[in-house]
Amino acid sequence: MGNIRVIGPRSSGKTTYLAGLAYWPQNKSAVGDRRLFEVVPLNDETEKLGSIAEDLIVQGLDLEPTRVKDVYGLNSYSFRIEVKQRFNADKEINLVAKDYPGEIFELLESGHLDGLCEQFLKECLEKDVEGCLILLNDWGAKADKFYCRALSQFLKLMDQYERRQDLRLAVTMSKCERGELWPGRLDPEIDIFDSHLPDTKDLLQTNISRKNLQFFALSTFGVLDRNDPRPNRIEMIGTDGSRAVLRETGQRKSWKPYGMLDPLYWLNTGIRKEFKY
């Protein structure tokens, strides 16, 4: 069983991503005709997340964001991912993921962690955790500086808990359906992180060995079509600010996410595999 933690700033799409993953079995169009992989929820929390994912992704309703309450109150989402391989035996990956509140990332950047935040991060860096999926959602000089400060503090904590040598980090640009990012999704290390977050990339590559660091891009919503690469989402104003939903709410078949399983496969196996979506 591979334990994965999901961290990132507010609005980086952490809960939406896990909801989309939990909803995968109900959305046959998400994997196409070849059925390259199957995602099976394994516990009540994951099934519940999958059931409300349609409200979030397809119907356009609100989903409560993850709040800082109690480190022991965070839901554990458990999945079995069955990877279908044409010439080799099928691969089965069991994952347990925890979704951490965005405030944690912001307090990291400030350098002023309270006791509760320290509890969260201590659990994030425990020895039974194989890796962290770090979702980032912004780019440019201001974002680059913010991410550098936050991740510098995270690296110090990795040293404190002796995880610098054995914790995998999948650093991932979320919401890559945006027009500025979509062309760079095929080689995100060069075409997204080199181009848009060079200092963040340099910090990580200087301090983390190559075997424990990879860069990815994913989109829970995807684009409309191969020949119409507009983002397959619209922004709506809800009770907790703006949020994204499918352009054609109520049309399950229109949901075609991109890159959602690639970082999880690498975090669990150490092998980079690019799935065809």
Side-chain angles (χ1 to χ4, degrees):
M1 183 72 74
N3 289 307
I4 303 297
R5 303 295 186 244
V6 183
I7 63 174
R10 297 180 208 236
S11 301
S12 57
K14 301 181 297 298
T15 304
T16 304
Y17 166 74
L18 288 172
L21 195 64
Y23 181 59
W24 202 282
Q26 304 172 54
N27 182 47
K28 304 306 181 184
S29 67
V31 293
D33 294 332
R34 295 179 63 190
R35 302 293 295 171
L36 294 178
F37 34 76
E38 183 175 0
V39 181
V40 181
L42 295 180
N43 63 356
D44 291 342
E45 289 84 358
T46 311
E47 290 183 355
K48 180 180 179 182
L49 186 65
S51 69
I52 63 176
E54 183 162 351
D55 291 340
L56 171 72
I57 295 170
V58 181
Q59 300 300 332
L61 305 180
D62 280 316
L63 180 64
E64 181 70 16
T66 308
R67 307 286 190 186
V68 175
K69 295 178 181 177
D70 183 353
V71 66
Y72 303 110
L74 283 180
N75 286 329
S76 290
Y77 300 112
S78 182
F79 306 89
R80 183 175 72 249
I81 300 173
E82 299 173 359
V83 182
K84 313 297 182 181
Q85 304 192 89
R86 182 175 297 177
F87 301 111
N88 299 304
D90 291 349
K91 174 73 175 175
E92 182 177 294
I93 302 172
N94 290 296
L95 294 171
V96 175
K98 281 199 173 184
D99 169 17
Y100 284 78
E103 294 96 318
I104 300 298
F105 204 83
E106 293 166 9
L107 288 168
L108 260 178
E109 185 269 341
S110 72
H112 301 293
L113 297 176
D114 59 23
L116 183 57
C117 293
E118 288 179 353
Q119 279 185 291
F120 277 109
L121 291 165
K122 180 179 179 181
E123 189 193 57
C124 185
L125 295 168
E126 287 177 347
K127 283 292 186 180
D128 67 341
V129 176
E130 283 191 318
C132 289
L133 173 60
I134 302 175
L135 294 183
L136 306 178
N137 66 308
D138 205 352
W139 66 90
K142 184 177 180 180
D144 202 11
K145 289 183 172 57
F146 173 80
Y147 295 148
C148 274
R149 289 192 294 267
L151 291 171
S152 292
Q153 295 299 318
F154 190 70
L155 289 169
K156 291 178 182 178
L157 289 170
M158 288 177 66
D159 281 335
Q160 181 180 332
Y161 291 101
E162 300 181 345
R163 296 305 316 270
R164 181 76 71 95
Q165 303 304 319
D166 62 1
L167 183 73
R168 294 188 183 118
L169 302 181
V171 185
T172 304
M173 178 60 72
S174 64
K175 306 180 183 180
C176 76
E177 73 275 0
R178 291 168 289 184
E180 301 91 335
L181 301 176
W182 186 248
R185 73 194 185 283
L186 300 177
D187 192 351
E189 179 178 340
I190 294 175
D191 294 330
I192 293 180
F193 286 91
D194 258 357
S195 299
H196 300 295
L197 298 171
D199 292 342
T200 300
K201 181 192 171 187
D202 182 64
L203 170 74
L204 293 167
Q205 287 191 325
T206 301
N207 290 279
I208 302 293
S209 67
R210 189 64 186 180
K211 68 183 179 67
N212 290 328
L213 176 68
Q214 289 287 326
F215 296 90
F216 297 90
L218 66 81
S219 171
T220 304
F221 291 96
V223 298
L224 287 173
D225 187 79
R226 179 185 296 272
N227 298 319
D228 186 2
R230 288 179 296 161
N232 190 16
R233 61 169 173 80
I234 55 173
E235 294 291 328
M236 300 182 67
I237 303 300
T239 57
D240 201 52
S242 65
R243 54 193 170 81
V245 298
L246 282 178
R247 281 179 182 265
E248 299 179 29
T249 58
Q251 298 297 317
R252 181 185 292 111
K253 64 181 180 180
S254 67
W255 180 55
K256 296 179 181 179
Y258 174 83
M260 293 180 66
L261 293 175
D262 300 33
L264 294 183
Y265 189 89
W266 177 76
L267 284 169
N268 189 253
T269 66
I271 300 170
R272 180 134 189 173
K273 182 179 179 67
E274 295 182 0
F275 294 99
K276 302 299 182 183
Y277 293 86

